[in-house]
């Protein structure tokens, strides 16, 4: 703007309203609330029952998180999974032909995304467990005692198609049950979570959810900056009169927000209202010289926070750091610590679940992961 425009007494005397729009609000992050349904025993999982779906979206859309989760699944499955049980003589866990390694990987995936896993156990007519299925924990809801489970393919629509399951009871005396009780326990749920203080589990990265959102938003920003002409930050001055009410001002701002601003349009704008200027709008770009550096620093910090939440070294997941090198000795040292604190405990949970189902110890063995890919077990 020229000096004449700045010193214009009419413009200086007129009321000017400024508003920075498209501020990201934390309400976009789904909270892990737990609320008991009025008139029932079921407990919801998150705002609008959507917390696990939110976590699943982060896993699918945040590259760093997805890399860590997938890497942890590989580590949990190790080099070989061996399953030997009289109940499953051919080694297959269900009629779909899934092997124990498939069930182990499914359980590990749910554990690192949601903080827990669940198996559906099918019994034969004589009460013997004969099938094991991964049942996506995001599709389960339960009561406060975690002994009645409800499965639905779409909780966002209220779970209208829900099915009810009892908790798996390994010591169930099948011979003493009535026909009705046998029917009820023909399919049951074995539920494992990482916390006792809540009805539902919490993921390891719960404290880094904001950092996951930062990484996701940065990726969306850069994608849209390639496709939208309105990519630079800007100041818009509306010069066709000041709206008569705050409601009208808000509507104008909201319309501009929807059309131009935010990470979806790779820009952020400011809006002002002033009397008149031939009924035109002035647009002035607001350049920030170090904008790219700020994004790079923010992205680096968010990645580090996500790794910190897993107590993980990026090199363990094929993501190089800024160090000059990472020797095999350093890798093994870092892996031994990570394996002992973050992998072995999860393997133990899964092995314990198989033992509860089969009723005897030692039915499942997971040979530890090593870079050579051999089947030689190591001592922890």
């Amino acid at each position: 703007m020229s000096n004449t425009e700045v010193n214009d007494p009419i413009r200086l005397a007129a009321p000017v309203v400024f508003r920075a729009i498209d501020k990201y609000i934390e309400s976009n992050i789904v909270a892990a609330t737990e609320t008991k349904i009025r008139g029932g025993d079921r407990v919801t999982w998150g705002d609008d029952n959507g917390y696990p779906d939110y976590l699943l979206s982060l896993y699918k859309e945040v590259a760093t998180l997805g890399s860590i989760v997938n890497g942890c699944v590989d580590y949990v499955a190790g080099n070989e999974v061996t399953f030997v049980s009289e109940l499953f003589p051919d080694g297959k866990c269900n009629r779909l032909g899934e092997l124990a390694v498939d069930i182990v990987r499914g359980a590990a995936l749910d554990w690192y995304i949601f903080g827990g896993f669940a198996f559906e156990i099918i019994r034969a007519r004589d009460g013997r467990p004969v099938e094991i299925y991964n049942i996506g924990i995001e599709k389960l809801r339960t009561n406060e005692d975690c002994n009645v489970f409800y499965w639905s393919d779409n909780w966002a629509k209220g779970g209208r198609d829900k099915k009810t399951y009892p908790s798996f009871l390994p010591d169930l005396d099948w011979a003493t049950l009535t026909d009705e009780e046998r029917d009820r326990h023909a399919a049951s749920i074995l539920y494992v979570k990482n916390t006792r203080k809540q009805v539902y589990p919490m993921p390891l990265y719960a404290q880094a959810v904001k950092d996951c959102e930062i990484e996701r938003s940065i990726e969306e920003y850069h994608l849209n900056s390639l496709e939208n002409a309105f990519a630079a930050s800007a100041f818009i001055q509306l010069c066709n009169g000041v709206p008569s009410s705050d409601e009208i001002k808000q509507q104008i701002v909201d319309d501009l927000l929807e059309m131009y601003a935010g990470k979806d349009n790779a820009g952020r704008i400011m809006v002002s209202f002033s009397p008149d200027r031939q009924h035109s709008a002035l647009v002035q770009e607001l350049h920030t010289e170090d904008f790219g550096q700020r994004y790079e620093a923010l992205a680096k910090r968010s990645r580090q926070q996500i790794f910190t939440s897993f107590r993980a070294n990026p090199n363990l997941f094929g993501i190089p750091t800024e160090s000059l090198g990472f020797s095999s000795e350093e890798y093994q040292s870092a892996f031994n610590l990570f394996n002992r604190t973050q992998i072995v405990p999860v393997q133990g949970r899964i092995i314990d679940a198989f033992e509860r189902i089969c009723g005897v110890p030692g039915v499942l063995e997971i040979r530890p992961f090593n870079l050579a890919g051999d089947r030689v077990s190591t001592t922890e």
Side-chain angles (χ1 to χ4, degrees), residues 221-290:
Y221 178 91
H222 286 308
L223 174 63
N224 286 287
S225 68
L226 298 175
E227 300 178 355
N228 293 284
F230 206 98
S233 297
F235 173 83
I236 296 180
Q237 186 173 1
L238 303 177
C239 304
N240 57 337
V242 178
S244 58
S245 68
D246 290 340
E247 290 75 13
I248 297 177
K249 295 176 185 176
Q250 183 64 52
Q251 183 61 52
I252 294 173
V253 169
D254 289 344
D255 289 343
L256 287 169
L257 171 62
E258 181 179 354
M259 292 175 62
Y260 299 117
K263 62 180 182 295
D264 292 339
N265 290 286
R268 179 177 171 84
I269 62 178
M270 292 183 62
V271 178
S272 77
F273 300 97
S274 55
D276 55 38
R277 174 95 182 231
Q278 302 298 322
H279 299 287
S280 63
L282 303 178
V283 179
Q284 181 174 346
E285 294 185 0
L286 305 177
H287 294 286
T288 303
E289 294 182 359
D290 61 346

Side-chain angles (χ1 to χ4, degrees), residues 338-360:
F338 183 74
N339 186 58
R340 181 64 186 85
T341 59
Q342 301 299 320
I343 302 301
V344 171
V346 179
Q347 291 174 328
R349 296 276 194 139
I350 298 173
I351 291 172
D352 178 69
F354 270 83
E355 291 179 348
R356 290 179 62 191
I357 294 169
C358 297
V360 293

